[in-house]
Each structure stands twice: as C-alpha cells, then as structure tokens.
C-alpha cells in the first residue's frame, strides 16, 4: 500500500519531521505523495528534492545549519531576545526600519526580518529538477493574503521553485510576504497548519501519515512567554481538520512505536496524527 505523508508547520518543531523521516525510511514505507505547510513545506521539499540515498543526510545538515544553541545564562528567553535583535545567521537578518517603523520619522516596512539567507540555504538543500521529476508528488500550501484562500502548489500541475517554499514559510510580520504570478502569499499556518486536504482531495488507495506538531491539549506556564506559547498552540492546533484525523499514541522506543504505526496504517486508508509531546512520539524525533 502507498503511504502519503502530511507535514504540519511548527517553526523549530520541524526538527521532529526530520527524526520522523528517519523512522519512515527505516520502516521502508513507500511514500508516493507528500504535502507540507510552513516548515513542513521546507522539509517536504528537501525530502523530494534529493535522491533517496541523500535525503536523511541533507535533512540532518539543514537542521544543523539552522539550529541555535541555547545560552547557558538566560536560557530560552535570552535566545529569543538575541534572535529578535540579531536574527538567525543561517536564515534571516534584521530588517530596517523593521519594528522602528512605529516611529513618526521612519518609513514603512513589511517585516521584522529579511530572508536572503533562507533563500540561499533552500537553494543549496533542494534540487528542484529532482523535486519536479515525478519521483514523488509534492504539494506545498500557502495562504493568499488577499482572498484568504489556501493555495496548493503541486508538482503534477506546475514546476515548483524556491519561491513556493518561501511563500509557504512567510510568517506574517516576521518575514516579508512572497509574490508569485501577481498574487501575495503568507504562511498557511494561520488557517490550515496541517495540510491534510491537500492529500485527501483526490481518490486513491493509501495510508496517510500526518505529523502534527502542536498538541490541542497541554499545560500552560504562568508567564508571558508561556501563555503566548500556549495561545499559539491552541490557535494552530485548533484549525486542523479533526474529521480526517485518527489519533495514534504510540509508546516505547522509535522502532517499536513505528512498527505499531505501520501495522495500523496497513489496515485501511486513514490518517494518523502524531504529536511530539505524546509519550513515545518524541523518540521518533531523534536525529
């Protein structure tokens, strides 16, 4: 049976997708279609845009390039502060005037950061001839900023480029919107963070493995940062299509967990959502 893979958005949580792909390869699942949103779109493009033997290695290098160590002093708060001030050396740099546009003497700006570095890294990580070569059908989603509609960029219908990946990862406010063929696009996580409809809009006999990065239920830390994190998780997880989703909660090590997932998906066509905070699911994210 074919396996169709759905990769949700989730910023740094995209590292979970990389570990999950390693487990998928180890289980010899035959992935023939892949859909991604936001960081899921970038991971999907790297998977499909490399030869099978090179995919895991390229994903690991991509994550290694974008990772930022947490400071010993100040921890995550210091890392967030430093990123807001200086950007990420591998992905984006501060824009000017950026946030300073609120001052009366400043010109307007479209984002806090510029992403020339992101474009360069994606070009280095993805062979778009391979991606569009037909080995695996790829769908990347983006949100039309003017109509509010989710747009699906699919290799069966057009030649995908780095612009399509950039559009799917254009988090509004932080990164500039991306214009393609006269239309302006944003990160689709605002409306459809888990792009399951992109796989279920056509008939086919396949199991759908959906990797969702935000849990709907979870604890909230009583800090401004903790409340903001929880609000983001609720907003993003709440927009997923629950009617399409069967929740599987594996336990144990990665090989045991994925064996159970594989047994389940081989029974019939359905989707499984795996959240990184579930017991056992985290073991799939080892990279």
């Amino acid at each position: 049976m074919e396996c169709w893979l759905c990769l949700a958005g989730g910023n740094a949580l995209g590292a979970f997708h990389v570990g999950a792909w390693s487990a998928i390869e180890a289980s010899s699942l035959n992935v023939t279609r892949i859909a991604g949103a936001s960081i899921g779109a970038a991971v999907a493009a790297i998977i499909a845009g490399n030869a099978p033997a090179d995919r895991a290695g390229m994903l690991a290098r991509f994550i290694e390039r974008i990772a930022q160590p947490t400071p010993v002093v100040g921890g995550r708060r210091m890392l967030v502060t430093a990123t807001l001030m200086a950007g990420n050396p591998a992905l984006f740099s501060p824009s000017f005037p950026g946030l300073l546009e609120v001052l009366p003497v400043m010109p307007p700006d479209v984002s806090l950061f510029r992403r020339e570095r992101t474009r360069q890294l994606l070009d280095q990580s993805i062979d778009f001839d391979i991606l569009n070569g037909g080995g695996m059908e790829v769908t990347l989603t983006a949100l039309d900023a003017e109509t509010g509609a989710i747009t699906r960029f699919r290799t069966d219908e057009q030649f995908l480029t780095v612009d399509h990946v950039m559009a799917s990862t254009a988090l509004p406010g932080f990164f500039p919107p991306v214009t393609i063929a006269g239309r302006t696009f944003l990160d689709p996580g605002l409306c459809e963070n888990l792009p399951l409809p992109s796989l279920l809009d056509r008939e086919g006999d396949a199991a759908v493995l959906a990797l969702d990065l935000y849990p709907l239920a979870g604890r909230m830390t009583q800090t401004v940062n903790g409340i903001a994190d929880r609000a983001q998780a609720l907003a993003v997880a709440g927009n997923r299509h629950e009617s399409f989703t069967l929740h599987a909660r594996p336990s144990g090590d990665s090989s045991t967990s994925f064996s159970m997932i594989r047994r389940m998906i081989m029974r019939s066509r359905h989707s499984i959502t795996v959240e990184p905070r579930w017991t056992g699911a985290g073991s799939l994210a080892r990279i």
Side-chain angles (χ1 to χ4, degrees), residues 74-250:
R76 184 172 181 272
R77 291 185 181 181
M78 183 60 70
L79 176 60
V80 171
T81 301
T83 300
L84 288 174
M85 294 179 62
N88 180 314
L91 291 176
F92 48 84
S93 57
S95 178
F96 183 83
L99 192 60
L100 295 177
E101 78 158 8
V102 298
L103 299 176
V105 297
M106 290 294 178
D109 205 344
V110 296
S111 64
L112 296 179
F113 301 101
R114 298 299 181 194
R115 295 207 295 161
E116 291 81 4
R117 300 170 184 174
T118 300
R119 178 178 292 272
Q120 182 179 24
L121 180 59
L122 290 172
D123 273 329
Q124 294 171 350
S125 304
I126 304 165
D127 185 323
F128 285 94
D129 289 328
I130 293 178
L131 185 149
N132 290 281
M136 184 185 298
E137 182 193 276
V138 180
T139 303
L140 309 181
T141 62
L143 176 65
D144 189 310
E146 296 186 355
T147 68
I150 293 293
T151 300
R152 314 192 195 287
F153 303 116
R154 183 169 289 156
T155 52
D156 281 7
E157 300 171 356
Q158 60 187 298
F159 191 94
L160 300 191
T161 69
V162 68
D163 286 336
H164 298 98
V165 186
M166 295 288 286
S168 189
T169 56
L171 188 64
F174 289 91
F175 307 132
V178 175
T179 300
I180 300 175
R183 299 169 64 190
T184 303
F185 293 102
L186 301 170
D187 188 308
L190 297 170
C191 298
E192 185 185 280
N193 196 55
L194 185 68
L196 269 175
S198 298
L199 296 177
L200 303 180
D201 59 353
R202 294 151 295 153
E203 294 184 357
D205 183 15
V208 181
L209 180 59
L211 303 182
D212 198 353
L213 299 177
Y214 286 102
L216 189 59
R219 300 180 64 180
M220 183 175 69
T221 304
Q222 296 296 322
T223 64
V224 172
N225 184 60
I227 294 170
D229 281 349
R230 187 69 195 122
Q232 180 185 29
L234 288 169
V236 174
N239 70 36
R240 67 175 173 241
H241 291 246
E242 295 287 357
S243 60
F244 293 121
T245 305
L246 172 67
H247 294 283
R249 305 194 179 196

Side-chain angles (χ1 to χ4, degrees), residues 42-65:
V43 173
I46 294 172
I47 291 171
N50 282 276
D54 299 330
R55 289 168 178 166
M58 184 59 74
L59 285 170
R61 287 192 290 275
F62 178 79
I63 292 297
E64 183 179 357
R65 287 278 302 275

Side-chain angles (χ1 to χ4, degrees), residues 1-3 21-31 258 262 265-266:
M1 179 182 291
E2 294 182 15
C3 178
W21 179 256
S22 295
I24 289 171
E25 286 193 328
S27 296
S28 300
L29 294 177
N30 179 29
V31 178
F258 214 84
R262 190 179 184 189
I265 66 176
M266 290 302 288

